[in-house]
Amino acid sequence: MATIKERFKAKADDLSAEIKEILKEHGTRTIGEVQLSQVYQGMRGITGLVTETSLLDAQEGIRFRGYSIPELQEKLPKAPGGTEPLPEGLFYLMLLGELPTAGDAEEVTNIWQRRSHVPNHVFDAIEALPKSTHPMTQFVIAIMALQTESIFAKKYAQGMNKKDYWDAVYDDSMTLIARLPRVAAYIYRRKYKDEKHIQPDGLLDWSGNFAHMLGFEDESFKELMRLYMTIHADHEGGNVSAHTTHLVGSALSDPYLSFAAGMNGLAGPLHGLANQEVIKWIFDMRDELGVELPSKEQIEEYVKKTLGEGKVVPGYGHAVLRKTDPRFSAQMEFGKTHMPDDPLVNIVWRVYDVVPEVLKSLGKVKNPWPNVDAHSGALLVHYGLVEYEFYTVLFGVSRALGVLASLCWDRALGLPIERPKSITTASVKDWLEGKGEIWGD
Ligand code: CMX
């Protein structure tokens, strides 16, 4: 039986040959036209990337290799007695494009268990930081400290044939993914739990072990982690964390450098940090109103106040989606099953009843519906994971699955260094006056 690595190589060879043929035959065909407004406004809607692992539809939401989240919940292998998918299975699906058997998912678990030992100097690097350092900053520094282990960097320095890049990127990616839960849990326990660290359990799956090292033994919390790690893993290629990882990787920076760069992007409040902002916003609302479960009228007033102060309503809106995010809906379903009466979860549902109409009334918000970050914090608080500054680290551990599977594909397909053209406003004005072209070499 071929290893996962060998199966990946065979798939990559097939797709490389197919892409070569497609480009030979259709390489000069155009995909859409670019408007000046798109160039100035965040490149929205410009197709310029290939990401094999997932595809986002504005109405339907994310599909991983063609499978929606409810389909993944049905078809991916589960932990014994569990109902949520194992993210190991999702990683296998994103990497190989095939649904895994239970044995395939177990093989991924075993590989990650074997590679999970974190060298001591990584903990020393974390310890060198003030405890007050934001967990995402600690996380990025820990990833950078892990970079000393990069096989890609070592082999490149020795003089690696470009045909072998994918092999070293695969090994680095698997090792990095294997080590992230231990690093993240260490940051959590150091900052919030008096440095009382918990040793890994070599018999648990990746998410179950992560929950254990964080200090949560409740089986339904472990199920939440499996769901959480699955739904946050990938959102096609153009979002800031995925695009940054891909971009930095295109310079042949190794997977540690590339992923750390992506995580710096995830740490922005318009992207992954929104998950901490949502719960902070709800806590502030509760404090200001002095009630546990604000009424819809009170929430509406608070939303208007937020907007009046020139702030965004965190957890709402999206650059691509135009409907409620299915990642929000999956978490809502989890809440209905496991904690239907939880007051904080009920606030999230009330906010959902109120915010879209208010945002629509502004007339400028393209998507008034909730995204993934609107729900996640309330589920975590229910189990006692209340330290919201840590939430984006959880998102980051999950995001590693998608962006690193994609990085394996980038190198296996031999994608080149990324270098789009930029322009100046002076050149735009000249072009508008018919004085010259704004494109060119
Ligand atoms: N609250 C208030 N205003 C909002 C808004 C929100 N939730 N979402 C969009 N808008 C505003 C924009 O700020 C923009 O205003 P200006 O024209 O005054 O600058 C206008 O509506 C148009 O923006 P858009 O085209 O609808 O949205 P963008 O594609 O530019 O931005 C996003 C998308 C996610 C950054 C934006 O909706 C936002 O800031 N949301 C809140 C933060 C958030 O939840 N981010 C997490 C996204 C998911 C993730 O990556 O994890």
Side-chain angles (χ1 to χ4, degrees), residues 121-197:
H121 74 270
V122 176
F123 299 125
D124 293 344
I126 297 170
E127 293 291 347
L129 298 166
K131 265 195 197 161
S132 57
T133 309
H134 192 282
M136 274 307 275
T137 308
Q138 298 197 38
F139 189 51
V140 170
I141 287 168
I143 296 162
M144 292 304 299
L146 281 165
Q147 191 269 348
T148 55
E149 305 284 294
S150 173
I151 307 258
F152 185 92
K154 269 185 208 107
K155 289 200 170 159
Y156 195 89
Q158 288 160 2
M160 178 169 37
N161 188 314
K162 59 166 76 169
K163 289 198 179 72
D164 298 328
Y165 291 166
W166 73 272
D167 190 306
V169 165
Y170 173 90
D171 275 327
D172 276 355
S173 297
M174 292 304 256
T175 303
L176 177 52
I177 292 169
R179 294 177 180 181
L180 287 175
R182 174 86 168 108
V183 163
Y186 191 90
I187 292 166
Y188 179 74
R189 302 288 306 179
R190 171 178 183 250
K191 188 170 166 81
Y192 302 112
K193 302 289 170 185
D194 298 327
E195 309 189 17
K196 292 191 180 118
H197 297 292

Side-chain angles (χ1 to χ4, degrees), residues 113-416:
Q113 275 285 3
R114 281 202 299 278
R115 293 179 182 225
S116 63
H117 177 75
V118 174
N120 277 338
H121 74 270
V122 176
F123 299 125
D124 293 344
I126 297 170
E127 293 291 347
L129 298 166
K131 265 195 197 161
S132 57
T133 309
H134 192 282
M136 274 307 275
T137 308
Q138 298 197 38
F139 189 51
V140 170
I141 287 168
I143 296 162
M144 292 304 299
L146 281 165
Q147 191 269 348
T148 55
E149 305 284 294
S150 173
I151 307 258
F152 185 92
K154 269 185 208 107
K155 289 200 170 159
Y156 195 89
Q158 288 160 2
M160 178 169 37
N161 188 314
K162 59 166 76 169
K163 289 198 179 72
D164 298 328
Y165 291 166
W166 73 272
D167 190 306
V169 165
Y170 173 90
D171 275 327
D172 276 355
S173 297
M174 292 304 256
T175 303
L176 177 52
I177 292 169
R179 294 177 180 181
L180 287 175
R182 174 86 168 108
V183 163
Y186 191 90
I187 292 166
Y188 179 74
R189 302 288 306 179
R190 171 178 183 250
K191 188 170 166 81
Y192 302 112
K193 302 289 170 185
D194 298 327
E195 309 189 17
K196 292 191 180 118
H197 297 292
I198 299 171
Q199 289 303 310
D201 180 338
L203 298 176
L204 284 170
D205 59 283
W206 189 68
S207 318
N209 193 23
F210 188 20
H212 158 75
M213 289 186 286
L214 288 168
F216 297 87
E217 296 300 350
D218 187 328
E219 196 45 43
S220 80
F221 182 84
K222 289 185 178 144
E223 280 291 275
L224 174 63
M225 271 303 101
R226 290 171 191 127
L227 176 67
Y228 190 113
M229 292 294 134
T230 298
I231 62 178
H232 287 80
D234 209 30
H235 218 222
E236 73 169 34
N239 67 78
V240 172
S241 52
H243 187 186
T244 306
T245 306
H246 165 80
L247 167 69
V248 174
S250 83
L252 298 186
S253 305
D254 65 57
Y256 296 87
L257 299 170
S258 308
F259 180 62
M263 289 301 96
N264 280 304
L266 194 76
L270 295 189
H271 189 19
L273 202 80
N275 62 7
Q276 82 163 38
E277 295 298 295
V278 166
I279 219 68
K280 184 169 175 291
W281 181 80
I282 292 178
F283 284 166
D284 287 349
M285 171 168 66
R286 262 191 348 194
D287 285 351
E288 199 171 307
L289 297 170
V291 290
E292 199 183 28
L293 185 55
S295 67
K296 287 188 188 175
E297 291 70 26
Q298 286 174 311
I299 293 172
E300 187 171 334
E301 279 311 302
Y302 196 78
V303 171
K304 286 181 177 163
K305 179 170 169 277
T306 301
L307 294 169
E309 289 166 352
K311 300 174 187 164
V312 294
V313 180
Y316 282 77
H318 200 271
V320 179
L321 276 170
R322 294 296 176 256
K323 285 269 170 68
T324 294
D325 190 334
R327 301 173 299 176
F328 177 91
S329 308
Q331 295 179 87
M332 197 168 173
E333 283 308 310
F334 189 93
K336 283 183 182 157
T337 308
H338 294 270
M339 59 201 76
D341 302 320
D342 182 286
L344 196 64
V345 170
N346 277 273
I347 295 184
V348 167
W349 297 343
R350 261 190 205 177
V351 170
Y352 181 33
D353 286 339
V354 171
V355 170
E357 288 311 312
V358 181
L359 290 183
K360 273 186 215 167
S361 72
L362 298 180
K364 66 173 184 178
V365 180
K366 297 195 190 63
N367 178 41
W369 303 104
N371 59 56
V372 66
D373 300 315
H375 209 309
S376 50
L379 301 179
L380 297 166
V381 171
H382 175 84
Y383 291 102
L385 209 168
V386 295
E387 301 87 356
Y388 53 74
E389 284 197 344
F390 186 72
Y391 291 173
T392 312
V393 175
L394 294 176
F395 193 158
V397 173
S398 167
R399 186 47 60 101
L401 302 179
V403 300
L404 292 174
S406 275
L407 207 61
C408 292
W409 277 102
D410 292 350
R411 298 291 74 78
L413 296 176
L415 299 186

Side-chain angles (χ1 to χ4, degrees), residues 18-51:
E18 223 178 301
I19 291 171
K20 233 179 225 159
E21 278 308 303
I22 291 171
L23 290 180
K24 206 165 122 197
E25 192 127 328
H26 306 286
T28 55
R29 285 176 70 172
T30 50
I31 307 178
E33 285 177 0
V34 177
Q35 295 168 357
L36 193 54
S37 58
Q38 291 175 290
V39 175
Y40 274 93
Q41 290 165 354
M43 298 191 279
R44 218 60 95 253
I46 300 177
T47 303
L49 293 168
V50 175
T51 303

